[in-house]
Amino acid sequence: MVKPDVQGISMDGVSENKMVPSDFSTGPMEKAAKPLPFKDPNFVHSGHGGAVAGKKNRTWKNLKQILASERALPWQLNDPNYFSIDAPPSFKPAKKYSDVSGLLANYTDPQSKLRFSTIEEFSYIRRLPSDVVTGYLALRKATSIVP
Amino acid sequence: MAAATAAGLATNVFPFRDARAAPDPVLEAGPVAHGSLPVPLVLDNGSFQARAGWACPGPDPGPEPRLQFRAVCARGRGGARGGAGPQVGNALGSLEPLRWMLRSPFDRNVPVNLELQELLLDYSFQHLGVSSQVTGEGCVDHPIVLTEAVCTPLYSRQMMSELLFECYGIPKVAYGIDSLFSFYHNNPKNMISSGLIISSGYQCTHILPILEGRLDARNCKRINLGGSQAAGYLQRLLQLKYPGHLAAITLSRMEEILHEHSYIAEDYVEELQKWRCPDYYENNVHKMQLPFSSKLLGSTLTSEEKQERRQQQLRRLQELNARRREEKLQLDQERLDRLLYVQELLEDGQMDQFHKALIELNMDSPEELQSYIQKLSAAVEQAKQKILQAEVSLEVDVVDSKPETPDLEQLEPSLEDVENINDFEPLFSEETPEVEKPVATVQPVFNLAAYHQLFVGTERIRAPEIIFQPSLIGEEQAGIAETLQYILDRYPKDVQELLVQNVLLTGGNMMYPGMKVRIEKELLEMRPFQSSFQVQLAANPVLDAWYGARDWALDHLDNEDVWITRKDYEEKGGGYLREHCASNVYVPIRLPKQASRSAEAQASGKGSGASGGGAGEQA
């Protein structure tokens, strides 16, 4: 196959071109000590442009961005990929546990929406400062105020 | 009662070890690395720990991997000093002082920041004693076996291949899944086996069905919960219960509690019922002893002292304001005098001097001067008034139980005052939440040690339970049991039977006591009546992935079609993968090669041509 080879060589040419002007920028990136013997000191990541690629390509993509661009690729219906193997949401209703002690909670405080299982827990909850209350709710991801 | 609590206080008290990692020595590669064939390097690249070592051929494969370190790096404290650069893994010692500066190449279980990955690889190669045998050319001569995530994004594999081939110049690489390597290690080699792997790591938990030695990737499932989420949950629970010890409840200590004091309940609801009973609680609560901190002790003393302090601060604030007002008054008066002098010049008729003075003062006309004088004199009057009022209020004594609001009201709100009050208010609100006493026990005697103890009761089972019940932490995904059922239901009954005969539990997060029994119970609930199943915990859940990768490397050294060579990488792009018994499934989608801005115009044209060609080939 001639095509892939030609493309391979020209890709290399492209990458070599970009290596040459980047020599000066990798200078300050190397340690003051001797450069490591097992790596190419002129290597520049293509995913992270650094100073060479200009201002637009400075940071690494995080997982969300990578997955967003992966979704756009031409997948077939049954292909396994990172987002298709996410576990499905649960069908069973969640059990309710007390926020304070973790025991099974039969009751919910209407004022703060915290769950509790005994009377002592209730009095404890009513004496809590508001930041601790929001902390417990945030732990359960129950902080949004939906009437 | 006092005697019982005194006796109870002495039991179950555990100190935190707060272990520091010892820095790794730079090892010599030794004769092991230079054989006739290049010896493969095996790297288990995990989000919690990276493990690296040689796969030495010969009768005795050798003990543990030579390097095991946390996959994090951070700059030394106090900014970058003296070109020392970022430190990696065990060279950091204790992680806690640097907690906010720790950076990891991983985002969930996928490496996304390849610069940090490069640092980790540098560290591994350096400490393993890898040197280039071809002088003058920086490259690593050994084939590498590297672990990757299940169904890792093609972009990530491309970046990783680029790093390995172009930066380190390795001859060939094989990518595999850590849980599959562990499966390879735990099953007899000559059998083509089927089974189900439940692998729980630091960031996520996977359930992987294996059919006839090959991963059935379409039916894998991943739950995005693992050891780090359990540690975070435990940390928040304890911080909310003990707000006074916020800083002492660190993630490292949480990991210690999880590793040594937590367990998985066989039946969660039943276990909780047991914990309701106070005797059971007393016998089983683990009291973690924090080191003594005098800061905490100071703030829990009498509230009267706190009031005293507040009043002192208020008085200081008032004095400061009064002084400032007087100074401003003085300045204003001086300026006013000067302006009046200039006005007198005008009245006296000394026009030249008047104009000169006007220019000095930066004003254009006598009217402006007049209006300015008026404004200034009004301001001076006001200031005098305020000073008089402030002096009056200072004499009023403030004696009541809630000093905050009345005091703040008496201070007149002017611009400067408001700023100062805002500075002091956070101080006031910080001191109001009191140190909470533990819920179930009451200490009638003032026991200093007990003030510094964290009572870990039901938290021992709550934190690890999140992988079974993600709703504890607010996640919508299904837990292990439900996901297991979902996966099994996608197969016909005979295949289900085959899969459950060989269930392997692997991964560091599976090491809780009681995990195997729990999984067996869950399977019992979902399988048909009186059918059999077999659950096995990996021999060493943490290191088996590395051992499996090493065994695999040794078994496949001469098998050419499982290694991705440099030629493959150049021809077929970075996302290329050669499948083998422990690898992902390769989906032949060609990614456009990433390039810098200057070459992007050329490359994008070729890249889209290549992917179009790739899709054409696929069809």
Side-chain angles (χ1 to χ4, degrees):
Chain A
M1 284 280 291
V2 179
K3 243 201 221 166
D5 286 345
V6 166
Q7 285 188 355
I9 292 171
S10 53
M11 290 289 198
D12 266 2
V14 162
S15 54
E16 260 163 40
N17 283 339
K18 111 188 147 212
M19 270 190 214
V20 168
S22 67
D23 273 353
F24 62 90
S25 68
T26 55
M29 274 164 30
E30 281 180 23
K31 297 188 206 143
K34 56 174 169 40
L36 299 169
F38 44 74
K39 53 193 283 202
D40 177 4
N42 300 328
F43 173 68
V44 171
H45 290 275
S46 65
H48 175 29
V52 180
K55 297 196 184 97
K56 288 199 187 172
N57 204 13
R58 247 182 226 281
T59 51
W60 295 97
K61 285 190 188 181
N62 62 12
L63 188 63
K64 264 194 197 171
Q65 291 167 325
I66 294 179
L67 290 179
S69 55
E70 289 268 318
R71 273 180 205 275
L73 291 176
W75 298 103
Q76 304 290 327
L77 198 57
N78 266 338
D79 282 341
N81 48 38
Y82 193 81
F83 37 89
S84 73
I85 62 172
D86 249 334
S90 169
F91 287 108
K92 304 188 181 159
K95 284 213 153 67
K96 299 190 183 148
Y97 298 100
S98 158
D99 291 303
V100 171
S101 68
L103 307 171
L104 269 180
N106 295 323
Y107 320 103
T108 308
D109 175 17
Q111 191 185 72
S112 57
K113 307 282 178 294
L114 290 176
R115 297 179 184 151
F116 61 95
S117 62
T118 63
I119 302 176
E120 294 85 24
E121 285 183 29
F122 180 67
S123 55
Y124 179 75
I125 285 177
R126 277 294 163 95
R127 285 184 286 122
L128 283 177
S130 63
D131 51 349
V132 177
V133 170
T134 15
Y136 276 121
L137 290 174
L139 211 50
R140 262 199 291 138
K141 296 197 186 150
T143 44
S144 63
I145 307 170
V146 178
Chain B
M1 183 60 181
T5 47
L9 287 171
T11 61
N12 285 344
V13 180
F14 302 92
F16 278 110
R17 278 181 306 117
D18 283 341
R20 273 181 76 94
D24 292 312
V26 176
L27 302 166
E28 272 293 313
V32 133
H34 306 302
S36 52
L37 282 174
V39 177
L41 269 169
V42 178
L43 283 161
D44 179 9
N45 199 22
S47 57
F48 178 64
Q49 254 190 354
R51 301 160 193 124
W54 301 101
C56 326
D60 176 22
E64 303 187 329
R66 288 200 191 180
L67 273 185
Q68 292 182 46
F69 56 94
R70 293 290 304 256
V72 288
C73 38
R75 292 196 174 279
R77 259 190 289 183
R81 19 159 139 144
Q87 305 273 42
V88 175
N90 290 336
L92 290 171
S94 151
L95 291 183
E96 277 319 309
L98 298 165
R99 177 59 65 176
W100 301 112
M101 298 195 286
L102 288 178
R103 300 171 66 203
S104 164
F106 285 91
D107 186 343
R108 218 185 278 155
N109 58 343
V110 173
V112 297
N113 188 332
L114 273 287
E115 238 175 73
L116 296 177
Q117 182 70 58
E118 193 184 329
L119 282 174
L120 293 185
L121 287 173
D122 283 348
Y123 183 86
S124 324
F125 292 149
Q126 206 177 13
H127 286 264
L128 285 175
V130 171
S131 60
S132 167
Q133 291 190 312
V134 182
T135 50
E137 215 177 278
C139 66
V140 176
D141 285 335
H142 308 266
I144 290 193
V145 180
L146 194 64
T147 54
E148 59 176 12
V150 178
C151 298
T152 181
L154 292 172
Y155 180 81
S156 155
R157 191 183 298 132
Q158 181 186 46
M159 294 280 102
M160 185 62 91
S161 294
E162 181 196 51
L163 179 67
L164 290 174
F165 285 113
E166 297 193 13
C167 180
Y168 293 106
I170 60 170
K172 48 189 183 176
V173 72
Y175 292 115
I177 299 178
D178 47 2
S179 346
L180 293 182
F181 282 134
S182 176
F183 188 74
Y184 187 85
H185 182 72
N186 280 295
N187 281 297
K189 302 292 186 322
N190 42 12
M191 264 174 49
I192 304 273
S193 32
S194 304
L196 202 60
I197 306 179
I198 306 181
S199 148
S200 183
Y202 192 55
Q203 293 286 346
C204 35
T205 303
H206 289 96
I207 301 186
L208 309 169
I210 313 280
L211 286 177
E212 293 178 10
R214 205 52 205 99
L215 173 70
D216 186 6
R218 277 161 202 77
N219 291 321
C220 294
K221 283 300 168 196
R222 178 191 68 243
I223 305 170
N224 299 324
L225 291 174
S228 80
Q229 283 81 7
Y233 185 52
L234 185 60
Q235 187 187 30
R236 283 309 287 146
L237 279 177
L238 289 179
Q239 280 179 339
L240 289 169
K241 197 156 121 173
Y242 299 100
H245 294 281
L246 214 71
I249 299 177
T250 62
L251 271 178
S252 314
R253 288 180 175 161
M254 294 302 104
E255 283 171 14
E256 223 185 284
I257 296 183
L258 282 177
H259 293 176
E260 294 167 24
H261 302 277
S262 307
Y263 63 100
I264 294 260
E266 189 185 337
D267 184 339
Y268 189 61
V269 174
E270 205 183 293
E271 194 73 23
L272 286 180
Q273 284 299 103
K274 282 197 228 165
W275 277 94
R276 267 183 195 267
C277 160
D279 285 332
Y280 188 87
Y281 182 90
E282 273 304 318
N283 293 335
N284 289 299
V285 69
H286 283 208
K287 305 172 194 174
M288 308 303 301
Q289 182 72 49
L290 289 173
F292 176 76
S293 146
S294 58
K295 167 179 172 275
L296 177 62
L297 204 56
S299 69
T300 56
L301 288 182
T302 53
S303 53
E304 282 90 42
E305 285 200 13
K306 280 191 246 173
Q307 274 186 29
E308 275 289 315
R309 233 173 278 164
R310 272 190 215 128
Q311 286 184 15
Q312 272 176 12
Q313 281 167 348
L314 271 168
R315 248 173 266 140
R316 245 178 276 147
L317 176 58
Q318 284 171 343
E319 283 168 33
L320 197 66
N321 277 335
R323 219 177 304 135
R324 252 193 237 171
R325 251 183 249 123
E326 283 175 17
E327 283 174 18
K328 185 161 186 286
L329 180 63
Q330 227 181 350
L331 281 171
D332 283 343
Q333 263 194 314
E334 281 176 28
R335 193 158 165 79
L336 188 60
D337 290 339
R338 220 184 319 144
L339 291 177
L340 286 173
Y341 173 70
V342 171
Q343 202 172 43
E344 278 173 36
L345 282 179
L346 171 64
E347 287 164 16
D348 288 347
Q350 297 177 356
M351 294 312 293
D352 295 332
Q353 284 188 344
F354 176 69
H355 280 296
K356 245 191 270 172
L358 265 189
I359 294 171
E360 270 177 48
L361 290 172
N362 219 1
M363 279 184 242
D364 294 326
S365 64
E367 287 81 20
E368 210 183 314
L369 177 66
Q370 183 67 29
S371 63
Y372 202 72
I373 288 177
Q374 277 176 350
K375 271 191 237 159
L376 208 51
S377 37
V380 163
E381 283 302 315
Q382 254 190 346
K384 285 187 187 154
Q385 289 281 335
K386 278 192 197 164
I387 291 184
L388 279 175
Q389 280 185 1
E391 281 177 4
V392 165
S393 69
L394 266 176
E395 290 163 2
V396 174
D397 233 3
V398 183
V399 179
D400 50 20
S401 53
K402 285 192 186 162
E404 294 137 62
T405 23
D407 278 350
L408 293 178
E409 277 170 1
Q410 285 182 9
L411 289 172
E412 289 80 24
S414 74
L415 281 173
E416 303 160 345
D417 289 0
V418 165
E419 280 171 19
N420 287 330
I421 291 173
N422 285 340
D423 283 336
F424 278 98
E425 269 209 6
L427 261 180
F428 294 152
S429 55
E430 252 177 3
E431 293 175 343
T432 34
E434 289 134 12
V435 173
E436 301 294 347
K437 296 201 197 106
V439 183
T441 59
V442 175
Q443 269 117 27
V445 180
F446 183 85
N447 186 338
L448 195 59
Y451 258 68
H452 293 279
Q453 278 171 359
L454 304 174
F455 281 50
V456 185
T458 50
E459 288 82 8
R460 288 174 68 197
I461 44 172
R462 275 167 97 181
E465 182 71 18
I466 57 174
I467 49 176
F468 289 97
Q469 296 187 50
S471 55
L472 281 174
I473 211 174
E475 278 288 324
E476 281 174 356
Q477 286 188 313
I480 287 186
E482 213 181 317
T483 312
L484 201 50
Q485 177 140 52
Y486 178 82
I487 290 179
L488 285 176
D489 285 342
R490 285 156 82 123
Y491 291 105
K493 291 235 178 316
D494 48 345
V495 181
Q496 286 182 16
E497 193 57 47
L498 187 61
L499 286 176
V500 296
Q501 294 307 324
N502 189 4
V503 178
L504 179 68
L505 306 180
T506 175
N509 202 32
M510 282 291 175
M511 282 171 68
Y512 296 111
M515 174 65 82
K516 179 161 176 270
V517 180
R518 175 64 180 270
I519 301 269
E520 283 176 349
K521 172 188 157 284
E522 301 285 354
L523 274 174
L524 187 63
E525 281 179 6
M526 68 174 82
R527 292 301 297 152
F529 183 58
Q530 286 183 345
S531 65
S532 69
F533 50 82
Q534 186 76 1
V535 175
Q536 180 195 8
L537 185 62
N540 183 339
V542 172
L543 289 178
D544 265 355
W546 192 87
Y547 291 138
R550 182 199 57 199
D551 296 343
W552 182 91
L554 293 174
D555 291 341
H556 290 85
L557 259 181
D558 39 4
N559 184 357
E560 284 310 317
D561 27 273
V562 294
W563 298 90
I564 304 169
T565 60
R566 199 196 169 97
K567 191 158 168 295
D568 287 332
Y569 164 72
E570 286 167 7
E571 283 177 15
K572 303 188 186 150
Y576 182 63
L577 174 72
R578 285 202 194 237
E579 295 190 11
H580 53 83
C581 63
S583 81
N584 269 314
V585 169
Y586 175 53
V587 180
I589 294 180
R590 185 77 186 269
L591 280 182
K593 184 166 171 138
Q594 313 292 322
S596 61
R597 288 275 130 182
S598 53
E600 206 186 42
Q602 303 174 22
S604 60
K606 287 178 196 145
S608 52
S611 59
E617 285 169 15
Q618 220 181 348

